[in-house]
Coordinates of all heavy atoms in Angstrom, one line a residue:
M1 N -16.7 -12.0 10.7 CA -16.9 -11.7 9.3 C -16.3 -10.4 8.9 O -15.7 -10.3 7.8 CB -18.4 -11.8 9.0 CG -18.7 -11.8 7.5 SD -20.0 -12.8 7.1 CE -21.3 -11.6 6.7
P2 N -16.4 -9.3 9.7 CA -15.8 -8.0 9.4 C -14.2 -8.2 9.3 O -13.6 -7.5 8.4 CB -16.2 -7.1 10.5 CG -17.4 -7.7 11.0 CD -17.2 -9.1 10.9
A3 N -13.6 -9.0 10.1 CA -12.2 -9.1 10.0 C -11.8 -9.9 8.8 O -10.8 -9.5 8.1 CB -11.7 -9.9 11.3
H4 N -12.6 -10.8 8.3 CA -12.4 -11.5 7.1 C -12.5 -10.6 5.9 O -11.6 -10.6 5.0 CB -13.4 -12.6 6.9 CG -13.2 -13.4 5.7 ND1 -12.2 -14.3 5.5 CD2 -14.0 -13.4 4.6 CE1 -12.3 -14.9 4.3 NE2 -13.4 -14.3 3.7
A5 N -13.4 -9.7 5.9 CA -13.6 -8.7 4.8 C -12.4 -7.7 4.8 O -11.9 -7.4 3.7 CB -14.9 -7.9 5.0
H6 N -11.9 -7.3 6.0 CA -10.8 -6.4 6.0 C -9.5 -7.1 5.5 O -8.7 -6.5 4.7 CB -10.5 -5.9 7.5 CG -11.3 -4.8 7.9 ND1 -12.6 -5.0 8.3 CD2 -11.1 -3.5 7.9 CE1 -13.2 -3.8 8.6 NE2 -12.2 -2.9 8.4
L7 N -9.4 -8.4 5.9 CA -8.2 -9.1 5.4 C -8.2 -9.3 3.9 O -7.2 -9.2 3.2 CB -8.1 -10.5 6.2 CG -6.9 -11.3 5.9 CD1 -5.6 -10.5 6.2 CD2 -6.9 -12.6 6.6
N8 N -9.4 -9.6 3.4 CA -9.5 -9.8 1.9 C -9.2 -8.6 1.2 O -8.5 -8.6 0.2 CB -10.9 -10.4 1.5 CG -11.0 -11.8 1.7 OD1 -10.0 -12.6 1.7 ND2 -12.2 -12.3 1.9
L9 N -9.8 -7.5 1.6 CA -9.7 -6.2 0.8 C -8.3 -5.6 1.0 O -7.6 -5.3 0.0 CB -10.7 -5.2 1.3 CG -10.7 -3.9 0.5 CD1 -11.0 -4.1 -0.9 CD2 -11.7 -2.9 1.1
L10 N -7.8 -5.5 2.2 CA -6.5 -4.9 2.5 C -5.4 -5.9 2.2 O -4.3 -5.5 1.7 CB -6.4 -4.4 3.9 CG -7.3 -3.3 4.3 CD1 -7.2 -3.0 5.8 CD2 -7.0 -2.1 3.5
G11 N -5.6 -7.1 2.5 CA -4.5 -8.1 2.5 C -4.3 -8.7 1.1 O -3.2 -9.0 0.7
W12 N -5.3 -8.9 0.3 CA -5.2 -9.5 -1.0 C -5.4 -8.6 -2.1 O -4.5 -8.4 -3.0 CB -6.1 -10.7 -1.1 CG -5.8 -11.6 -2.3 CD1 -4.9 -12.6 -2.2 CD2 -6.2 -11.4 -3.6 NE1 -4.8 -13.1 -3.5 CE2 -5.6 -12.4 -4.4 CE3 -7.1 -10.6 -4.2 CZ2 -5.8 -12.6 -5.7 CZ3 -7.3 -10.7 -5.6 CH2 -6.7 -11.7 -6.3
V13 N -6.5 -7.9 -2.2 CA -6.8 -7.1 -3.3 C -5.8 -5.9 -3.4 O -5.3 -5.7 -4.5 CB -8.3 -6.5 -3.2 CG1 -8.6 -5.6 -4.3 CG2 -9.3 -7.7 -3.2
S14 N -5.6 -5.2 -2.4 CA -4.7 -4.1 -2.4 C -3.2 -4.5 -2.7 O -2.6 -3.9 -3.6 CB -4.7 -3.4 -1.1 OG -6.0 -2.9 -0.8
L15 N -2.8 -5.6 -2.1 CA -1.4 -6.1 -2.5 C -1.3 -6.5 -3.9 O -0.3 -6.3 -4.6 CB -1.0 -7.2 -1.5 CG -0.6 -6.8 -0.1 CD1 -0.4 -8.0 0.8 CD2 0.6 -5.9 -0.1
F16 N -2.4 -7.1 -4.4 CA -2.4 -7.5 -5.8 C -2.3 -6.3 -6.7 O -1.5 -6.3 -7.7 CB -3.7 -8.2 -6.1 CG -3.9 -8.6 -7.6 CD1 -3.1 -9.7 -8.1 CD2 -4.8 -7.9 -8.4 CE1 -3.3 -10.0 -9.4 CE2 -4.9 -8.3 -9.7 CZ -4.2 -9.4 -10.2
L17 N -3.0 -5.2 -6.4 CA -2.9 -4.0 -7.2 C -1.5 -3.3 -7.1 O -1.0 -2.8 -8.1 CB -4.0 -3.0 -6.8 CG -5.4 -3.5 -7.1 CD1 -6.5 -2.6 -6.6 CD2 -5.6 -3.7 -8.6
F18 N -1.0 -3.3 -5.9 CA 0.4 -2.8 -5.7 C 1.3 -3.6 -6.6 O 2.2 -3.0 -7.2 CB 0.8 -2.9 -4.2 CG 0.1 -2.0 -3.3 CD1 0.0 -2.4 -1.9 CD2 -0.6 -0.9 -3.7 CE1 -0.7 -1.7 -1.0 CE2 -1.3 -0.1 -2.7 CZ -1.3 -0.5 -1.4
G19 N 1.2 -4.9 -6.5 CA 2.1 -5.8 -7.3 C 2.0 -5.5 -8.8 O 3.0 -5.5 -9.5
I20 N 0.8 -5.3 -9.3 CA 0.7 -5.0 -10.7 C 1.3 -3.7 -11.0 O 2.1 -3.6 -12.0 CB -0.8 -4.9 -11.1 CG1 -1.4 -6.3 -11.1 CG2 -1.0 -4.3 -12.5 CD1 -2.9 -6.4 -11.3
Y21 N 1.1 -2.7 -10.2 CA 1.7 -1.4 -10.5 C 3.3 -1.5 -10.4 O 4.0 -0.9 -11.3 CB 1.2 -0.3 -9.5 CG 1.8 1.1 -9.9 CD1 1.1 1.8 -10.8 CD2 2.9 1.6 -9.3 CE1 1.6 3.1 -11.2 CE2 3.4 2.8 -9.6 CZ 2.7 3.6 -10.6 OH 3.2 4.8 -11.0
Y22 N 3.8 -2.1 -9.4 CA 5.2 -2.3 -9.3 C 5.8 -3.1 -10.5 O 6.9 -2.8 -10.9 CB 5.6 -2.9 -8.0 CG 5.5 -2.0 -6.8 CD1 5.0 -2.4 -5.6 CD2 5.7 -0.6 -6.9 CE1 4.8 -1.6 -4.5 CE2 5.6 0.2 -5.8 CZ 5.1 -0.3 -4.6 OH 5.0 0.6 -3.6
R23 N 5.1 -4.1 -10.9 CA 5.6 -4.9 -12.1 C 5.6 -4.1 -13.3 O 6.5 -4.2 -14.2 CB 4.7 -6.1 -12.3 CG 5.1 -7.0 -13.4 CD 6.4 -7.6 -13.2 NE 6.5 -8.5 -12.1 CZ 7.4 -9.3 -11.8 NH1 8.5 -9.3 -12.6 NH2 7.4 -10.1 -10.8
L24 N 4.6 -3.2 -13.5 CA 4.6 -2.3 -14.7 C 5.6 -1.2 -14.6 O 5.9 -0.5 -15.6 CB 3.2 -1.7 -14.9 CG 2.1 -2.7 -15.2 CD1 0.7 -2.0 -15.2 CD2 2.4 -3.3 -16.6
H25 N 6.2 -0.9 -13.4 CA 7.2 0.1 -13.2 C 8.4 -0.6 -12.6 O 8.6 -0.5 -11.3 CB 6.7 1.3 -12.4 CG 5.5 2.0 -13.0 ND1 4.2 1.5 -12.9 CD2 5.5 3.1 -13.8 CE1 3.5 2.3 -13.6 NE2 4.2 3.3 -14.2
P26 N 9.3 -1.2 -13.4 CA 10.4 -2.0 -12.8 C 11.3 -1.2 -12.0 O 11.9 -1.8 -11.0 CB 11.1 -2.6 -14.1 CG 10.1 -2.4 -15.2 CD 9.2 -1.3 -14.8
A27 N 11.5 0.1 -12.2 CA 12.4 0.9 -11.4 C 11.9 1.0 -9.9 O 12.7 1.0 -9.0 CB 12.5 2.3 -12.0
L28 N 10.6 1.0 -9.8 CA 10.0 1.0 -8.4 C 10.0 -0.4 -7.8 O 10.1 -0.5 -6.6 CB 8.6 1.5 -8.5 CG 8.4 3.0 -8.7 CD1 6.9 3.3 -8.7 CD2 9.0 3.8 -7.6
E29 N 9.9 -1.4 -8.6 CA 9.7 -2.7 -8.1 C 10.9 -3.1 -7.2 O 10.8 -3.9 -6.2 CB 9.6 -3.7 -9.2 CG 9.3 -5.1 -8.8 CD 9.2 -6.1 -10.0 OE1 9.7 -5.8 -11.1 OE2 8.5 -7.1 -9.8
T30 N 12.1 -2.6 -7.5 CA 13.3 -3.0 -6.7 C 13.7 -1.9 -5.8 O 14.7 -2.0 -5.1 CB 14.4 -3.2 -7.7 OG1 14.7 -2.1 -8.5 CG2 14.1 -4.4 -8.6
S31 N 12.9 -0.8 -5.6 CA 13.3 0.3 -4.8 C 13.1 -0.1 -3.3 O 12.2 -0.8 -2.9 CB 12.6 1.6 -5.1 OG 11.3 1.5 -4.6
R32 N 13.9 0.5 -2.5 CA 13.8 0.3 -1.0 C 12.6 0.9 -0.4 O 11.9 0.3 0.5 CB 15.1 0.9 -0.3 CG 15.1 0.6 1.1 CD 16.4 0.9 1.7 NE 17.2 -0.3 1.5 CZ 18.4 -0.5 2.0 NH1 19.0 0.4 2.7 NH2 19.0 -1.7 1.8
L33 N 12.1 2.0 -1.0 CA 10.9 2.7 -0.5 C 9.7 1.8 -0.8 O 8.8 1.8 0.0 CB 10.8 4.1 -1.2 CG 9.9 5.1 -0.6 CD1 10.3 5.3 0.9 CD2 10.0 6.4 -1.3
A34 N 9.7 1.2 -2.0 CA 8.5 0.3 -2.3 C 8.5 -0.9 -1.3 O 7.4 -1.3 -0.9 CB 8.6 -0.2 -3.7
M35 N 9.6 -1.4 -1.0 CA 9.7 -2.5 -0.1 C 9.2 -2.1 1.3 O 8.5 -2.8 2.0 CB 11.1 -3.1 0.0 CG 11.2 -4.3 1.0 SD 10.1 -5.7 0.6 CE 11.1 -6.5 -0.6
T36 N 9.6 -0.9 1.7 CA 9.1 -0.3 3.0 C 7.6 -0.2 3.0 O 7.0 -0.5 4.0 CB 9.8 1.0 3.2 OG1 11.2 0.8 3.2 CG2 9.4 1.6 4.6
Q37 N 7.1 0.3 1.9 CA 5.6 0.5 1.8 C 4.9 -0.8 1.9 O 3.9 -0.9 2.7 CB 5.3 1.1 0.4 CG 3.9 1.5 0.2 CD 3.1 0.4 -0.6 OE1 3.6 -0.2 -1.4 NE2 1.8 0.3 -0.2
I38 N 5.4 -1.8 1.3 CA 4.7 -3.2 1.4 C 4.8 -3.7 2.8 O 3.9 -4.3 3.3 CB 5.3 -4.1 0.3 CG1 5.0 -3.7 -1.1 CG2 4.9 -5.6 0.6 CD1 3.5 -3.6 -1.4
V39 N 6.0 -3.6 3.4 CA 6.1 -4.1 4.8 C 5.2 -3.4 5.8 O 4.5 -4.1 6.6 CB 7.6 -4.1 5.2 CG1 7.8 -4.3 6.7 CG2 8.5 -5.0 4.4
V40 N 5.2 -2.1 5.7 CA 4.3 -1.3 6.6 C 2.9 -1.7 6.3 O 2.1 -1.9 7.2 CB 4.5 0.2 6.4 CG1 3.5 1.0 7.1 CG2 5.9 0.6 6.8
W41 N 2.5 -1.9 5.0 CA 1.1 -2.3 4.7 C 0.8 -3.6 5.3 O -0.3 -3.8 5.9 CB 0.9 -2.3 3.2 CG -0.5 -2.6 2.7 CD1 -1.0 -3.8 2.5 CD2 -1.5 -1.6 2.5 NE1 -2.3 -3.6 2.1 CE2 -2.6 -2.3 2.1 CE3 -1.5 -0.2 2.5 CZ2 -3.8 -1.6 1.8 CZ3 -2.7 0.4 2.2 CH2 -3.8 -0.3 1.8
C42 N 1.7 -4.6 5.2 CA 1.4 -5.9 5.7 C 1.3 -5.9 7.2 O 0.4 -6.6 7.8 CB 2.5 -6.9 5.2 SG 2.5 -7.3 3.5
V43 N 2.2 -5.2 7.9 CA 2.1 -5.2 9.3 C 0.8 -4.5 9.8 O 0.1 -5.0 10.7 CB 3.4 -4.4 9.9 CG1 3.2 -4.1 11.4 CG2 4.6 -5.3 9.7
G44 N 0.5 -3.4 9.2 CA -0.7 -2.6 9.5 C -2.0 -3.5 9.3 O -2.9 -3.5 10.1
T45 N -2.0 -4.2 8.1 CA -3.1 -5.0 7.8 C -3.3 -6.2 8.8 O -4.4 -6.5 9.2 CB -3.0 -5.6 6.4 OG1 -3.0 -4.5 5.5 CG2 -4.2 -6.5 6.0
A46 N -2.2 -6.8 9.2 CA -2.3 -7.9 10.1 C -2.8 -7.5 11.4 O -3.7 -8.1 12.0 CB -0.9 -8.6 10.2
F47 N -2.3 -6.4 12.0 CA -2.7 -5.9 13.3 C -4.2 -5.4 13.2 O -4.9 -5.6 14.1 CB -1.8 -4.8 13.8 CG -0.6 -5.4 14.5 CD1 0.6 -5.4 13.8 CD2 -0.6 -5.9 15.7 CE1 1.8 -5.9 14.4 CE2 0.5 -6.5 16.3 CZ 1.7 -6.4 15.7
L48 N -4.5 -4.7 12.1 CA -5.9 -4.2 11.9 C -6.9 -5.4 11.9 O -8.0 -5.3 12.5 CB -6.0 -3.4 10.7 CG -7.4 -2.7 10.4 CD1 -7.8 -1.8 11.6 CD2 -7.4 -2.0 9.1
T49 N -6.5 -6.4 11.2 CA -7.5 -7.6 11.1 C -7.7 -8.2 12.5 O -8.8 -8.5 12.9 CB -6.9 -8.6 10.1 OG1 -6.7 -8.0 8.9 CG2 -7.8 -9.8 10.0
V50 N -6.6 -8.4 13.2 CA -6.8 -9.0 14.6 C -7.6 -8.0 15.5 O -8.5 -8.4 16.2 CB -5.4 -9.2 15.2 CG1 -5.5 -9.6 16.7 CG2 -4.7 -10.3 14.4
A51 N -7.3 -6.7 15.4 CA -8.0 -5.7 16.2 C -9.5 -5.7 15.9 O -10.3 -5.6 16.8 CB -7.4 -4.4 16.0
V52 N -9.8 -5.7 14.6 CA -11.2 -5.7 14.2 C -11.9 -6.9 14.7 O -13.1 -6.9 15.2 CB -11.4 -5.5 12.7 CG1 -12.8 -5.8 12.2 CG2 -10.9 -4.1 12.2
A53 N -11.3 -8.1 14.6 CA -11.9 -9.3 15.1 C -12.1 -9.2 16.6 O -13.2 -9.6 17.1 CB -11.0 -10.5 14.7
A54 N -11.1 -8.7 17.3 CA -11.2 -8.6 18.8 C -12.3 -7.6 19.2 O -13.1 -7.9 20.1 CB -9.9 -8.2 19.4
L55 N -12.4 -6.5 18.4 CA -13.5 -5.5 18.8 C -14.9 -6.1 18.5 O -15.8 -5.9 19.3 CB -13.3 -4.3 17.9 CG -12.1 -3.4 18.3 CD1 -11.9 -2.3 17.3 CD2 -12.4 -2.8 19.7
H56 N -15.0 -6.9 17.5 CA -16.3 -7.5 17.2 C -16.6 -8.6 18.2 O -17.8 -9.0 18.3 CB -16.4 -7.9 15.8 CG -16.7 -6.8 14.9 ND1 -17.9 -6.2 14.7 CD2 -15.8 -6.1 14.0 CE1 -17.8 -5.2 13.9 NE2 -16.6 -5.1 13.4
L57 N -15.6 -9.1 18.9 CA -15.9 -10.1 19.9 C -16.1 -9.5 21.3 O -16.3 -10.2 22.2 CB -14.7 -11.1 20.0 CG -14.6 -12.1 18.8 CD1 -13.3 -12.9 18.9 CD2 -15.8 -13.0 18.7
G58 N -16.0 -8.2 21.3 CA -16.3 -7.5 22.6 C -15.1 -7.0 23.4 O -15.3 -6.6 24.5
Y59 N -13.9 -7.1 22.8 CA -12.7 -6.7 23.6 C -12.4 -5.2 23.2 O -11.7 -4.9 22.3 CB -11.5 -7.6 23.2 CG -11.7 -9.0 23.6 CD1 -12.0 -10.0 22.6 CD2 -11.6 -9.4 24.9 CE1 -12.2 -11.3 23.0 CE2 -11.8 -10.8 25.3 CZ -12.1 -11.7 24.3 OH -12.3 -13.0 24.6
A60 N -12.9 -4.3 24.0 CA -12.8 -2.9 23.8 C -11.3 -2.4 23.9 O -10.9 -1.4 23.4 CB -13.7 -2.1 24.7
A61 N -10.5 -3.2 24.6 CA -9.1 -2.9 24.8 C -8.3 -2.8 23.5 O -7.2 -2.3 23.4 CB -8.4 -3.8 25.8
F62 N -8.9 -3.4 22.4 CA -8.2 -3.4 21.1 C -8.4 -2.2 20.3 O -7.9 -2.1 19.2 CB -8.6 -4.7 20.4 CG -7.8 -5.9 20.8 CD1 -8.2 -6.6 21.8 CD2 -6.6 -6.2 20.1 CE1 -7.5 -7.7 22.2 CE2 -5.9 -7.3 20.5 CZ -6.3 -8.1 21.5
E63 N -9.2 -1.2 20.8 CA -9.5 0.0 20.1 C -8.2 0.8 19.7 O -8.0 1.2 18.6 CB -10.4 0.9 20.8 CG -11.9 0.4 20.7 CD -12.8 1.4 21.3 OE1 -12.6 2.6 21.3 OE2 -13.9 0.9 21.8
P64 N -7.2 1.0 20.7 CA -6.0 1.6 20.3 C -5.2 0.9 19.3 O -4.5 1.5 18.4 CB -5.2 1.7 21.6 CG -6.2 1.5 22.7 CD -7.3 0.7 22.1
V65 N -5.2 -0.4 19.3 CA -4.5 -1.2 18.3 C -5.1 -1.0 16.9 O -4.4 -0.8 15.9 CB -4.5 -2.8 18.7 CG1 -3.9 -3.6 17.6 CG2 -3.9 -3.0 20.0
A66 N -6.5 -1.0 16.9 CA -7.1 -0.7 15.6 C -6.8 0.7 15.1 O -6.6 0.9 13.9 CB -8.6 -0.9 15.8
A67 N -6.8 1.7 16.0 CA -6.5 3.0 15.6 C -5.0 3.1 15.0 O -4.8 3.7 13.9 CB -6.7 4.0 16.8
V68 N -4.1 2.6 15.7 CA -2.7 2.7 15.3 C -2.5 1.9 14.0 O -1.8 2.4 13.1 CB -1.7 2.2 16.4 CG1 -0.3 2.1 15.9 CG2 -1.8 3.2 17.6
S69 N -3.0 0.7 13.9 CA -2.9 -0.1 12.7 C -3.6 0.6 11.5 O -3.1 0.5 10.4 CB -3.3 -1.5 12.9 OG -4.7 -1.5 13.3
S70 N -4.7 1.3 11.7 CA -5.3 2.0 10.7 C -4.5 3.1 10.2 O -4.4 3.4 9.0 CB -6.7 2.6 11.2 OG -7.6 1.6 11.5
L71 N -3.8 3.8 11.1 CA -2.9 4.9 10.7 C -1.7 4.3 10.0 O -1.2 4.9 9.0 CB -2.4 5.6 11.9 CG -3.5 6.5 12.6 CD1 -2.9 7.1 13.9 CD2 -3.9 7.6 11.7
L72 N -1.2 3.1 10.3 CA -0.1 2.5 9.6 C -0.5 2.2 8.1 O 0.2 2.4 7.2 CB 0.3 1.1 10.3 CG 1.3 1.2 11.4 CD1 1.5 -0.2 12.0 CD2 2.6 1.7 10.9
V73 N -1.7 1.6 8.0 CA -2.2 1.3 6.7 C -2.4 2.6 5.8 O -2.1 2.7 4.7 CB -3.6 0.5 6.7 CG1 -4.2 0.4 5.4 CG2 -3.3 -0.9 7.3
F74 N -2.9 3.6 6.5 CA -3.1 4.9 5.8 C -1.7 5.5 5.4 O -1.6 6.0 4.3 CB -3.9 5.9 6.7 CG -4.1 7.2 6.0 CD1 -5.1 7.3 5.0 CD2 -3.4 8.3 6.3 CE1 -5.3 8.5 4.4 CE2 -3.6 9.6 5.7 CZ -4.6 9.6 4.7
G75 N -0.8 5.4 6.3 CA 0.6 5.9 6.0 C 1.2 5.1 4.8 O 1.9 5.7 3.9
A76 N 1.0 3.8 4.8 CA 1.5 3.0 3.6 C 0.8 3.4 2.3 O 1.4 3.4 1.3 CB 1.3 1.5 3.9
L77 N -0.5 3.7 2.4 CA -1.2 4.2 1.2 C -0.7 5.5 0.8 O -0.5 5.7 -0.4 CB -2.7 4.2 1.5 CG -3.6 4.7 0.4 CD1 -3.5 3.6 -0.7 CD2 -5.0 4.8 0.8
A78 N -0.4 6.4 1.7 CA 0.2 7.7 1.3 C 1.6 7.5 0.7 O 1.9 8.2 -0.3 CB 0.2 8.6 2.6
L79 N 2.3 6.6 1.2 CA 3.6 6.3 0.7 C 3.5 5.7 -0.8 O 4.3 6.1 -1.6 CB 4.4 5.3 1.6 CG 5.8 5.0 1.2 CD1 6.7 6.3 1.1 CD2 6.4 4.0 2.2
F80 N 2.5 4.9 -1.0 CA 2.3 4.4 -2.3 C 1.9 5.5 -3.3 O 2.4 5.6 -4.4 CB 1.2 3.3 -2.3 CG 0.9 2.7 -3.7 CD1 1.9 1.9 -4.3 CD2 -0.3 3.0 -4.3 CE1 1.6 1.3 -5.5 CE2 -0.5 2.4 -5.6 CZ 0.4 1.6 -6.2
A81 N 1.0 6.4 -2.8 CA 0.7 7.6 -3.7 C 1.9 8.4 -4.0 O 2.0 8.8 -5.1 CB -0.4 8.4 -2.9
L82 N 2.8 8.6 -3.0 CA 4.0 9.3 -3.3 C 4.8 8.6 -4.4 O 5.3 9.3 -5.3 CB 4.8 9.5 -2.0 CG 6.2 10.1 -2.1 CD1 6.0 11.6 -2.3 CD2 7.0 9.8 -0.9
L83 N 4.9 7.3 -4.2 CA 5.7 6.5 -5.2 C 5.1 6.6 -6.6 O 5.8 6.8 -7.6 CB 5.8 5.1 -4.8 CG 6.7 4.8 -3.7 CD1 6.5 3.4 -3.1 CD2 8.2 4.9 -4.1
V84 N 3.8 6.6 -6.7 CA 3.1 6.7 -8.0 C 3.3 8.0 -8.6 O 3.7 8.1 -9.8 CB 1.5 6.4 -7.8 CG1 0.8 6.8 -9.1 CG2 1.3 5.0 -7.5
F85 N 3.1 9.1 -7.9 CA 3.3 10.4 -8.5 C 4.8 10.7 -8.7 O 5.1 11.4 -9.7 CB 2.7 11.5 -7.5 CG 1.2 11.4 -7.5 CD1 0.5 11.2 -6.3 CD2 0.4 11.5 -8.7 CE1 -0.8 11.2 -6.2 CE2 -0.9 11.5 -8.6 CZ -1.6 11.3 -7.4
R86 N 5.7 10.2 -7.9 CA 7.1 10.4 -8.2 C 7.5 9.6 -9.4 O 8.3 10.1 -10.2 CB 7.9 10.0 -7.0 CG 9.4 10.4 -7.1 CD 10.1 10.0 -5.9 NE 10.5 8.6 -6.1 CZ 11.3 7.9 -5.3 NH1 11.8 8.5 -4.2 NH2 11.6 6.7 -5.5
S87 N 7.0 8.4 -9.6 CA 7.4 7.7 -10.8 C 6.9 8.3 -12.0 O 7.5 8.2 -13.1 CB 6.9 6.2 -10.7 OG 5.5 6.2 -10.8
D88 N 5.7 8.9 -12.0 CA 5.1 9.6 -13.1 C 6.0 10.8 -13.5 O 6.3 11.0 -14.7 CB 3.7 10.0 -12.8 CG 3.0 10.5 -14.1 OD1 3.2 10.0 -15.2 OD2 2.2 11.5 -13.9
K89 N 6.4 11.5 -12.5 CA 7.3 12.7 -12.8 C 8.6 12.2 -13.3 O 9.2 12.9 -14.2 CB 7.5 13.5 -11.5 CG 8.2 14.8 -11.7 CD 8.4 15.5 -10.4 CE 7.1 16.1 -10.0 NZ 7.2 17.0 -8.8
L90 N 9.2 11.1 -12.8 CA 10.4 10.6 -13.4 C 10.3 10.2 -14.8 O 11.2 10.4 -15.6 CB 11.0 9.5 -12.5 CG 11.5 9.8 -11.1 CD1 11.8 8.6 -10.3 CD2 12.6 10.8 -11.2
A91 N 9.2 9.5 -15.1 CA 9.0 9.1 -16.5 C 8.8 10.2 -17.5 O 9.3 10.2 -18.6 CB 7.7 8.2 -16.6
Q92 N 8.2 11.3 -17.0 CA 8.0 12.5 -17.9 C 9.4 13.2 -18.1 O 9.7 13.6 -19.2 CB 7.1 13.5 -17.3 CG 5.6 13.0 -17.4 CD 4.7 13.9 -16.7 OE1 5.1 14.9 -16.0 NE2 3.4 13.6 -16.8
S93 N 10.2 13.2 -17.1 CA 11.5 13.9 -17.2 C 12.5 13.0 -18.0 O 13.4 13.6 -18.6 CB 12.1 14.2 -15.8 OG 12.4 13.0 -15.2
A94 N 12.3 11.7 -18.1 CA 13.2 10.9 -18.8 C 12.9 10.9 -20.3 O 13.7 10.5 -21.2 CB 13.1 9.4 -18.3
T95 N 11.7 11.4 -20.7 CA 11.3 11.4 -22.1 C 12.0 12.6 -22.7 O 11.8 13.8 -22.3 CB 9.8 11.6 -22.3 OG1 9.1 10.5 -21.6 CG2 9.4 11.6 -23.7
P96 N 12.8 12.4 -23.8 CA 13.5 13.6 -24.4 C 12.5 14.5 -25.1 O 11.6 14.0 -25.7 CB 14.5 12.9 -25.3 CG 14.0 11.6 -25.6 CD 13.2 11.2 -24.4
A97 N 12.7 15.8 -25.0 CA 11.9 16.7 -25.7 C 12.3 16.8 -27.1 O 13.5 16.8 -27.5 CB 12.0 18.1 -25.0
M98 N 11.3 16.9 -28.0 CA 11.6 17.1 -29.4 C 11.9 18.6 -29.7 O 11.3 19.5 -29.2 CB 10.4 16.7 -30.2 CG 9.9 15.2 -30.0 SD 11.1 14.1 -30.8 CE 10.6 14.3 -32.5
T99 N 12.9 18.8 -30.6 CA 13.2 20.1 -31.0 C 12.7 20.4 -32.4 O 12.3 19.5 -33.1 CB 14.8 20.4 -31.0 OG1 15.3 19.4 -31.9 CG2 15.4 20.1 -29.6
A100 N 12.6 21.6 -32.8 CA 12.1 22.0 -34.0 C 12.9 21.4 -35.2 O 12.3 21.1 -36.3 CB 12.1 23.5 -34.2
A101 N 14.2 21.2 -35.1 CA 15.0 20.6 -36.1 C 14.7 19.2 -36.4 O 15.0 18.6 -37.4 CB 16.5 20.8 -35.8
E102 N 14.1 18.5 -35.4 CA 13.8 17.1 -35.5 C 12.5 16.9 -36.2 O 12.0 16.1 -36.7 CB 13.8 16.4 -34.2 CG 15.2 16.4 -33.6 CD 15.2 15.8 -32.2 OE1 14.2 15.7 -31.5 OE2 16.3 15.3 -31.8

């Protein structure tokens, strides 16, 4: 059951939210960095789900797998945050400033 919860939250809900954000920001949707973020997130989530299931079944040898995959997911989240803040900065710089004569 914990593995199922991890897979639902990380695998479906988060990817859905990423997809909505990328769809609302078309410049990011096609960027290589966004694709890298999604691939790292998917790999981390898949390994984390398997590791959590194995740990709850009593296989302590999967602790390093859970740790590394958690770091992968966290790294992908940090990459997404970078993309969000960078896209916001790009949108602000693309807006032309009004001058007094206008």
Side-chain angles (χ1 to χ4, degrees):
M1 194 141 110
H4 179 74
H6 279 80
L7 184 59
N8 277 336
L9 183 60
L10 295 175
W12 192 88
V13 175
S14 299
L15 285 175
F16 177 74
L17 294 174
F18 295 153
I20 288 174
Y21 186 82
Y22 288 142
R23 180 61 67 171
L24 292 174
H25 297 85
L28 285 179
E29 185 177 26
T30 58
S31 77
R32 182 167 275 192
L33 199 54
M35 181 59 84
T36 302
Q37 184 262 330
I38 294 298
V39 168
V40 171
W41 185 272
C42 290
V43 168
T45 299
F47 279 103
L48 182 60
T49 303
V50 170
V52 167
L55 285 172
H56 283 285
L57 290 173
Y59 297 103
F62 278 85
E63 283 186 29
V65 176
V68 170
S69 57
S70 294
L71 290 174
L72 275 175
V73 170
F74 183 74
L77 182 62
L79 186 57
F80 180 71
L82 175 76
L83 287 165
V84 167
F85 291 121
R86 189 178 83 170
S87 70
D88 188 40
K89 188 179 282 189
L90 290 174
Q92 288 175 355
S93 67
T95 306
M98 299 289 285
T99 62
E102 296 178 336

